Amino acid sequence: MTTVRWTRVAFVAAGLTFLLFPLLRPWPDETVATAELATAFASDRWVVAHLCGILGLALLAPAFLGLRTVLVQAGVGAATWALVTAWTGAGLAALYFGAEIFGIRTIAEAALRDGDLGLLADIEVLRMQPWAVALFAAGLFLIAVSGVLVAVALWRAGGRLRWAGIPLAIGLVLVLPQFFGGPELRITHGFLFAAGCVLVAAVTPSRTARA
């Protein structure tokens, strides 16, 4: 029962913390270098929002670990690889989140301190650094793979679990593409991600049997 409880808690925490990412994140106009943009990037909200985002992804690993323990009773092995890909993907994505959190904030603080908004041009250079982009894309691709593997594992488990993994899989597959959308799309995705996590938490039983 303890394993089931912390598994459910981990899923709910992952969903809610990731949802806080777009809800708390400042959404200034990033097409023009302005004092408002620099202030948003230098704000505590910028830091807290991004920390919530990476924490939401990181919490997938303990959630999947607990789910794997439950599914082992049904002889379902796909959740093992879901755990591996989620853990690796979150680790790779965290490297890019670190640059977003602290690198961009440092540039914005320098722009405000020196009164030189031209420094904000370096933010795009930081974001598009080839190695950083490659690691971020690889990490979020692995997160997407983990979502599909969990959906497969839950489908094989049968019962109430059969359909529960589909919303979560869709949410995880869309983590990367949603970064190209605007605030409304990203907040909607945050709710989808959270709903998928909460649904899996709600239907995770203490025991499961193959249908």
Side-chain angles (χ1 to χ4, degrees), residues 2-210:
T2 301
T3 299
V4 174
R5 185 179 297 114
W6 66 253
T7 299
R8 290 170 175 165
V9 169
F11 269 112
V12 172
L16 295 183
T17 51
F18 191 85
L19 173 58
L20 287 175
F21 177 25
L23 288 179
L24 294 178
R25 184 194 189 278
W27 294 103
D29 181 1
E30 298 188 24
T31 62
V32 182
T34 62
E36 179 186 6
L37 177 61
T39 300
F41 284 157
S43 68
D44 291 337
R45 281 183 59 192
W46 178 264
V47 174
V48 172
H50 283 76
L51 287 176
C52 286
I54 191 55
L55 180 59
L57 295 179
L59 285 171
L60 290 174
F64 287 176
L65 176 61
L67 183 63
R68 175 186 176 277
T69 302
V70 175
L71 294 182
V72 161
Q73 299 174 33
V76 180
T80 298
W81 283 107
L83 169 62
V84 172
T85 51
W87 213 311
T88 306
L92 294 175
L95 299 174
Y96 191 88
F97 268 85
E100 281 272 306
I101 296 170
F102 304 112
I104 290 179
R105 188 184 196 189
T106 299
I107 294 172
E109 288 176 335
L112 291 173
R113 182 180 61 251
D114 299 341
D116 182 5
L117 296 178
L119 293 174
L120 297 179
D122 291 336
I123 290 176
E124 192 64 16
V125 176
L126 176 67
R127 281 174 163 169
M128 300 308 296
Q129 203 281 333
W131 275 103
V133 171
L135 290 174
F136 189 54
L140 296 188
F141 173 76
L142 289 174
I143 291 291
V145 170
S146 74
V148 174
L149 291 175
V150 161
V152 170
L154 293 175
W155 184 270
R156 290 176 177 173
R160 293 193 306 164
L161 293 172
R162 173 155 287 177
W163 298 97
I166 295 178
L168 177 59
I170 294 173
L172 295 183
V173 167
L174 293 177
V175 169
L176 177 56
Q178 61 91 28
F179 277 102
F180 297 96
E184 295 80 7
L185 176 61
R186 293 184 61 178
I187 291 172
T188 299
H189 173 263
F191 277 105
L192 173 62
F193 186 109
C197 288
V198 171
L199 177 59
V200 174
V203 302
T204 299
S206 56
R207 296 180 60 85
T208 184
R210 190 183 294 275

